[in-house]
Amino acid sequence: MILTITLNVALDKYYKVPSLVNGEVNRVEKVIPTAGGKGLNVARVVNELESTVTATGIVGGHTGNLICEMLDAEGLTYDFFKVPLESRTCINIVDSSRNSTEILEAGERIDPDLVTEFLNKVTDLICLADIVTLSGSAMKGMPEDIYYHLISIVKEQNKQVILDTSGNLFAKGILAAPTLIKPNRQEIEQMIQIKNASIEEIISFCEEYITLGVKKVVVSLGAEGALLITGNGVWKGEPPKINTVNTVGSGDSMVGALAVGLSKDYTDEILLRYSIAVSAANTLTESTGQINREDVSKLYEKVTITKLS
């Protein structure tokens, strides 16, 4: 079983507008609500890929109840820790030129005692899992080293764990040496303070994570594909040219594919090819974290893999 952990669950709303004009009334043509937060997007994709998954995290209030109702309607298995707070709402506005503008609520502050109770609950769920994914931001009030603690719990049980976050959460979580990390190009450039960093510069920086004990580093490069850096070599994968509809959730889709690939013990090259195909398939749908398996199959054959070292 794959367990996805979302520390900052959200109700995601996709707004389609003819154009987005600052300071004026903008009328929405289409609304697509989704039970969101990065880990739920991961869970949805894992489920679409026909692997067993359970989503956990923290929800609360009327929004939290709505999120549970939406997951029930999708048939997605979840086991949340419920708190007396209101879950957040996040908005993605897409215009006719397919420009995407995201408005993300931070969410309410959680009490430290509730965080401790949540960690106890998650420890029990990890016992049932083979692969654990940790995705996205944390609720206000959570310690910056919470991912470090979660990774340590997973490793104590000899399970594999994927970390996909940023900032201090990433910096502190990486010290626990997760199995796989998935930063994107922009996050790496911020860390090395080089704008438009070359592939060589990105690889050189990421190889340091391998020396820290991380087994695999996957760097998503947007439309350019992704890099996979391991102790056995470096690969670059490129998807075919496609007409994207909505890019939000493509990184989460990649994490879902990576979790499935690890659970099936895919080789490095197949793991990279598969994750790029799934990520690209997500961009062909309007809904966040949604894929079509037929799209994945078609794209998989067209992904180009090059071994760089």
Side-chain angles (χ1 to χ4, degrees):
M1 185 264 283
I2 294 171
L3 178 69
T4 71
I5 299 178
T6 310
L7 298 181
N8 211 358
V9 174
L11 173 63
D12 286 345
K13 287 191 173 182
Y14 168 93
Y15 287 169
K16 183 178 181 180
V17 299
S19 62
L20 181 62
V21 183
N22 188 35
E24 295 189 13
V25 173
N26 294 271
R27 300 195 182 280
V28 178
E29 290 183 345
K30 187 175 186 178
V31 180
I32 302 177
T34 307
K38 293 175 70 64
L40 292 191
N41 295 334
V42 173
R44 185 173 292 108
V45 170
V46 171
N47 190 56
E48 289 287 343
L49 294 172
E50 299 183 306
S51 287
T52 303
V53 62
T54 296
T56 191
I58 299 173
V59 297
H62 296 295
T63 306
N65 291 335
L66 177 58
I67 287 169
C68 291
E69 290 173 8
M70 295 171 75
L71 293 176
D72 286 334
E74 291 184 58
L76 193 63
T77 302
Y78 61 87
D79 190 347
F80 289 130
F81 181 65
K82 296 189 176 182
V83 296
L85 301 170
E86 191 71 32
S87 293
R88 64 188 182 132
T89 298
C90 296
I91 297 171
N92 176 31
I93 306 171
V94 180
D95 63 23
S96 57
S97 298
R98 296 177 181 169
N99 295 314
S100 175
T101 302
E102 293 187 79
I103 302 172
L104 310 179
E105 291 183 9
E108 296 186 36
R109 181 174 296 275
I110 189 170
D111 186 87
D113 290 340
L114 291 175
V115 176
T116 300
E117 290 181 39
F118 170 69
L119 289 175
N120 291 335
K121 176 184 180 67
V122 168
T123 299
D124 293 337
L125 290 174
I126 290 171
C127 292
L128 307 174
D130 301 304
I131 310 289
V132 178
T133 70
L134 308 172
S135 305
S137 62
M139 295 179 70
K140 289 185 292 185
M142 288 183 169
E144 288 188 338
D145 61 355
I146 189 165
Y147 279 136
Y148 179 93
H149 290 298
L150 284 167
I151 293 166
S152 298
I153 292 169
V154 176
K155 292 180 69 176
E156 285 172 3
Q157 297 189 30
N158 296 314
K159 309 296 177 68
Q160 297 187 83
V161 55
I162 298 174
L163 176 65
D164 179 24
T165 188
S166 59
N168 287 336
L169 289 170
F170 178 83
K172 294 182 181 296
I174 198 75
L175 298 177
T179 309
L180 187 152
I181 59 174
K182 195 215 68 65
N184 61 39
R185 183 174 199 151
Q186 291 73 29
E187 290 164 347
I188 295 295
E189 288 177 344
Q190 289 173 1
M191 285 185 279
I192 63 179
Q193 298 183 331
I194 299 176
K195 190 175 182 180
N196 299 319
S198 67
I199 294 298
E200 291 75 19
E201 288 171 325
I202 293 172
I203 293 171
S204 178
F205 179 77
C206 290
E207 285 176 335
E208 296 179 16
Y209 292 129
I210 302 300
T211 65
L212 291 174
V214 176
K215 301 299 182 184
K216 303 177 191 291
V217 180
V218 177
V219 183
S220 52
L221 305 172
E224 295 179 43
L227 294 168
L228 171 60
I229 300 101
T230 77
N232 298 320
V234 178
W235 293 261
K236 185 175 189 292
E238 298 180 46
K241 299 296 182 183
I242 55 177
N243 294 319
T244 61
V245 176
N246 177 22
T247 61
V248 177
S250 57
D252 303 329
S253 298
M254 179 170 279
V255 171
L258 290 167
V260 172
L262 288 181
S263 71
K264 296 183 178 180
D265 201 25
Y266 284 169
T267 65
D268 289 331
E269 182 176 330
I270 292 177
L271 181 68
L272 182 60
R273 181 186 296 275
Y274 184 62
S275 63
I276 290 174
V278 172
S279 178
N282 173 78
T283 69
L284 298 177
T285 66
E286 284 188 311
S287 298
T288 301
Q290 291 282 2
I291 59 163
N292 183 310
R293 288 196 300 276
E294 291 182 1
D295 289 336
V296 174
S297 297
K298 293 175 182 177
L299 290 165
Y300 180 87
E301 299 300 330
K302 297 178 181 179
V303 173
T304 301
I305 301 293
T306 304
K307 195 170 192 302
L308 302 181
S309 67

